[in-house]
C-alpha cells in the first residue's frame, strides 16, 4: 500500500505533447479513475506511473520513494492490460505464479499464493488450462489474478473491462469494486466509460487533450464540473448545451427566459447546460415551449429530445407517459439546476454543486 | 434455373473433373522432374543413349547406387559435408536472424530506420549471386580459407540471414507488445524476456525459418562450387562433376540427385503443417 504522487509530470513524443505538466496526488488505499476520451493522456499517465514510459519532466513518487528513474520491474506495481497480455504458452497456474517465480520465491509459497488468488477469483477449476481454453471473462480474471498474487503497492488497470460484453462488464465492475474495497490497496484505473468511473472510483481525474481538467470525488465532478468539457463528459445521457444571453432575471434564448441566478451582467453571452434528469416535461403553455424531436425508450425510463427555440434539450423521464415526435410540450427547470459556462474558456460560472454552502 | 453458388460448393461433376485435372497437372509439373530423375537412377547404363528409349526404363538396376556409394567413392564424405554445412548454416542463420529481426521489430529507431534496414536486407536477395561469387572466392583465397567448411557456411549464412530477418521481422512485429511489457513488470530482464516469453511464442516461426534455411543451404550450388573444390565439397557440387569432357555419367548423376532430393522431400512432408503455420503466423491471431 502506498500513495502515488505526480509533480509537474509531463510527457512528449517528439514534437507531440502527450501530457502537459500535471500534478496528481493519490492517497494510500484510494481507487482513482483516470477518465477521458481516447488520446487524452490517461493511458500515458498510467504508463508513466508504471514506468513503461519515461517522463519528459517532473517527479513520480510511490510510497514516498522517488521512482522517476526506477525501472518498471522495481516499482512494486502490478498492471492489468486491456488485452490481458496473458502468456499463451503457460497454464493459468503458471501465468499467475510467473512473477513470483521470476523473483525466486520458493515453489510451495508460490503454489499457496496462486491458490489463494485463484480462490478469490473463482479460477481454481481452471489452473491447468491454457489461456486459449478460457472464456473472455475467465481470461480477464486471470489477468487480475496475476496482479493480485504480486501483492503490489499499487494496482494499475488499463481499461480492463473494455473487452467484455455488456452484461459481463456490469457484473465484473461490481466484483472489482468489492475486491478492491476488501484489499484496500491503492489502485489507478484508466477508463473512457464515465459510468465505470462514477461507480467504481473514490476520485475521478478527468483528462482532455493531455491536460488534467478536474480531480475530485464522483459526485463533485458531477455536480460541480470544472468546465464545460467535464460537464458534458460526465453523466448519461449527457448534458445538453444552449447559447444564451444573460438577463436580469435569468438567461434568455430564442425569445424565452429561463429563470436562474446569473453571475454576469445582463447582455453577456453565456452557455447554458441542462442535465436531462433535471428537465421536467409538462403540458404546452407551462414553462418554456418545446417540440418533441426524438424519443429513446430505455425500458424503465425514456429520454425525450426536444427542440426549444434554436437549442436542442433532452429530458429523462419515467416510462409511464408516451411522447410522440412533433408533440408540443412545456418544459420547466429548477433555477438551481441550471449550469452556466463561459463561452470562450468553457469555465464553469454556475453549477448546483458550486452554489451549495 | 440453377443458382450460382460459391465455387467449390455443390459444383457440378464437370467442374469437379476440371478441378481434379488441374490438380493432376500441377502435380505432374511439380513431381515430373523428380520422377524422371528417380527412374533414370534405376536405368541400366546402355539404355540411356539407346534410340527409342522410353521414359520408363525397360529394365531396372541398382548399379548406379552401388557405384555412387560403393567402396572407394567419396559420396558419404560429401553427404557429411552437406549435413555439417546445412546444420551449421541453419543454426547460425536462424540465431543471428532472430536476434536482428527482434531488435529491428522492438527498437524505436528514428526516421523509420527499421523499415529501411529491413528493406536493405530484402534487397540483398535481389541481385544475382554470381556478382559476389568471384570477389568472395578472392577474399577466401587471401584468407587461406578455400575449400574449408567455414567458407561455405559463411557464404550460406550471408545468403540466408536476410531471408530469416525478413521472415521473422513481420512475425515479431505482430507479436503483442503488451505480453512483453507484462513480463517486464513481472520482473524479467531483456534476456529472460527473450528466452522465456518471446522464443516459446515464436517457435512456429523459427521452425519455418529453420526449415527454409536448411533447404536453401542444402540445395545451394553456386557459392559452394566456387570455394569448395574437395574437402568441403557438398553433394550438389559433386553432382555437377559427373559432367566431364569425356561425357556425362547419367546413371550415377541421377542416383546422387535422388539422394539429394529425397531427404528434402521427406523433410518437407514431415514439416509441412508446421511450415504452413509458421509462414502464415501473424496473419491469423491465435
Amino acid at each position: 500500500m502506498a500513495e502515488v504522487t505526480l509533480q509537474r509530470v509531463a510527457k512528449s513524443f517528439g514534437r507531440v505533447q502527450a501530457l502537459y505538466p500535471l500534478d496528481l496526488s493519490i492517497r494510500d488505499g484510494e481507487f482513482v479513475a483516470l477518465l477521458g476520451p481516447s488520446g487524452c493522456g490517461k493511458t500515458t499517465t498510467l504508463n508513466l506511473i508504471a514506468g513503461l514510459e519515461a517522463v519528459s519532466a517532473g517527479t513520480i513518487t510511490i510510497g514516498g520513494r522517488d521512482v522517476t528513474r526506477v525501472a518498471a520491474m522495481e516499482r512494486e506495481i502490478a498492471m492489468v492490460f486491456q488485452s490481458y497480455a496473458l502468456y499463451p504458452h503457460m497454464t493459468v497456474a503458471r501465468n499467475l505464479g510467473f512473477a513470483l517465480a521470476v523473483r525466486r520465491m520458493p515453489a510451495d509459497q508460490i503454489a499457496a499464493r496462486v491458490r489463494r488468488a485463484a480462490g478469490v477469483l473463482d479460477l481454481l477449476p481452471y489452473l491447468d488450462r491454457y489461456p486459449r481454453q478460457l472464456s473472455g471473462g475467465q481470461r480477464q480474471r486471470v489477468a487480475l489474478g496475476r496482479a493480485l498474487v504480486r501483492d503490489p503497492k499499487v494496482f494499475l488497470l488499463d481499461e480492463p473491462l473494455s473487452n467484455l460484453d455488456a452484461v459481463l462488464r456490469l457484473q465484473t465492475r461490481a466484483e472489482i469494486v468489492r475486491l478492491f474495497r476488501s484489499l484496500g490497496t491503492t489502485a489507478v484505473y484508466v477508463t473512457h466509460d464515465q459510468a465505470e468511473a462514477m461507480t467504481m472510483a473514490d476520485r475521478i481525474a478527468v483528462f482532455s487533450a493531455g491536460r488534467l481538467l478536474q480531480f475530485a470525488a464522483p459526485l463533485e465532478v458531477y455536480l460541480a464540473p470544472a468546465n464545460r468539457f467535464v460537464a458534458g463528459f460526465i453523466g448519461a445521457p449527457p448534458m445538453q448545451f444552449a447559447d444564451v444571453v444573460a438577463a436580469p432575471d435569468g438567461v434568455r434564448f430564442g425569445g424565452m427566459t429561463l429563470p436562474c441566478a446569473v453571475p454576469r451582467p445582463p447582455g453577456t453571452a453565456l452557455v447554458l447546460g441542462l442535465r436531462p434528469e433535471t428537465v421536467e416535461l409538462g403540458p404546452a403553455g407551462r414553462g418554456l415551449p418545446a417540440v418533441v424531436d426524438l424519443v429513446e425508450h430505455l425500458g424503465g425510463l425514456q429520454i425525450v429530445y426536444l427542440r426549444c427555440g434554436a437549442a436542442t434539450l433532452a429530458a429523462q423521464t419515467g416510462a409511464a407517459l408516451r411522447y410522440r415526435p412533433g408533440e408540443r410540450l412545456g418544459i420547466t427547470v429548477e433555477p438551481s439546476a441550471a449550469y452556466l459556462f463561459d463561452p470562450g474558456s468553457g469555465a464553469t460560472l454556475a453549477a448546483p454543486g458550486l452554489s451549495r454552502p | 434455373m440453377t443458382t450460382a453458388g460459391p465455387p467449390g460448393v455443390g459444383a457440378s461433376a464437370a467442374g469437379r473433373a476440371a478441378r481434379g485435372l488441374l490438380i493432376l497437372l500441377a502435380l505432374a509439373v511439380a513431381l515430373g522432374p523428380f520422377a524422371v530423375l528417380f527412374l533414370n537412377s534405376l536405368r541400366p547404363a546402355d539404355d540411356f543413349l539407346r534410340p527409342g528409349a522410353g521414359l520408363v526404363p525397360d529394365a531396372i538396376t541398382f548399379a548406379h547406387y552401388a557405384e555412387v556409394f560403393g567402396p572407394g567413392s567419396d559420396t558419404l564424405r560429401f553427404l557429411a559435408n552437406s549435413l555439417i554445412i546445412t546444420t551449421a548454416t541453419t543454426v547460425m542463420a536462424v540465431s543471428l536472424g532472430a536476434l536482428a529481426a527482434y531488435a529491428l521489430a522492438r527498437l524505436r529507431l528514428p526516421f523509420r530506420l527499421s523499415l529501411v534496414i529491413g528493406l536493405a536486407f530484402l534487397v540483398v536477395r535481389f541481385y544475382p549471386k554470381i556478382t559476389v561469387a568471384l570477389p568472395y572466392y578472392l577474399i577466401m583465397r587471401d584468407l587461406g580459407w578455400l575449400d574449408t567448411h567455414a567458407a561455405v557456411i559463411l557464404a550460406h549464412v550471408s545468403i540466408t540471414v536476410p531471408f530469416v530477418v525478413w521472415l521473422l521481422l513481420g512475425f515479431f512485429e505482430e507479436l503483442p507488445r503488451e505480453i512483453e511489457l507484462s513480463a517486464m513488470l513481472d520482473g524479467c530482464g531483456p534476456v529472460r524476456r527473450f528466452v522465456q516469453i518471446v522464443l516459446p511464442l515464436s517457435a512456429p516461426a523459427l521452425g519455418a525459418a529453420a526449415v527454409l534455411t536448411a533447404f536453401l543451404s542444402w540445395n545451394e550450388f553456386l557459392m559452394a562450387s566456387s570455394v569448395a573444390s574437395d574437402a568441403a565439397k557438398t553433394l550438389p557440387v559433386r553432382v555437377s562433376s559427373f559432367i566431364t569432357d569425356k561425357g556425362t555419367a547419367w546413371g550415377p548423376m541421377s542416383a546422387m540427385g535422388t539422394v539429394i532430393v529425397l531427404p528434402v522431400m521427406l523433410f518437407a512432408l514431415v514439416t509441412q503443417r508446421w511450415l504452413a503455420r509458421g509462414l502464415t503466423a501473424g496473419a491469423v491471431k491465435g
Side-chain angles (χ1 to χ4, degrees), chain A residues 50 52-53 72-73 77 79 81-83 85-90 98-99 101-103 146 150, chain B residues 108 176 178-190 192-193 196-198 200-201 286:
Chain A
L52 297 177
E53 303 274 4
M73 65 180 93
I77 49 104
M79 188 154 169
F81 290 91
Q82 183 174 5
S83 64
L86 304 179
Y87 307 124
H89 56 303
M90 297 184 192
F98 184 69
V102 169
R103 288 175 166 77
R146 216 165 50 166
R150 293 267 310 277
Chain B
R108 289 187 201 163
E178 291 190 342
I179 291 183
E180 285 171 69
L181 292 180
S182 185
M184 192 163 124
L185 292 173
D186 276 348
C188 295
R192 186 170 202 145
R193 235 157 40 221
Q196 289 205 348
I197 306 293
V198 177
L201 292 180

Side-chain angles (χ1 to χ4, degrees), chain A residues 1-5 24-32 154 184-187 202-203 215-217:
Chain A
M1 280 195 257
E3 75 283 350
V4 178
T5 316
L24 195 65
S25 187
I26 298 167
R27 292 190 282 261
D28 181 18
E30 198 173 22
F31 193 111
V32 165
V154 181
T185 308
T186 314
D202 296 319
R203 280 197 289 171
F215 183 39

Side-chain angles (χ1 to χ4, degrees), chain B residues 43 46-58:
Chain B
R43 194 186 289 268
D46 53 7
D47 198 34
F48 276 104
L49 298 175
R50 185 174 60 83
L55 212 57
V56 180
D58 297 337

Side-chain angles (χ1 to χ4, degrees), chain B residues 25 41 48 54 83 104 143 150-151 162 165 175 183-184 200 206 210 212 216 276:
Chain B
L25 196 70
S41 75
F48 276 104
L83 285 174
L104 282 176
L143 283 173
V165 169
L175 203 66
M184 192 163 124
L206 293 177
L212 292 169
L216 281 172

Side-chain angles (χ1 to χ4, degrees), chain A residues 184-204:
Chain A
T185 308
T186 314
V188 185
Y189 186 106
V190 163
T191 180
H192 61 264
D193 182 343
Q194 58 91 25
E196 266 177 32
M198 288 291 284
T199 52
M200 299 175 83
D202 296 319
R203 280 197 289 171
I204 302 176

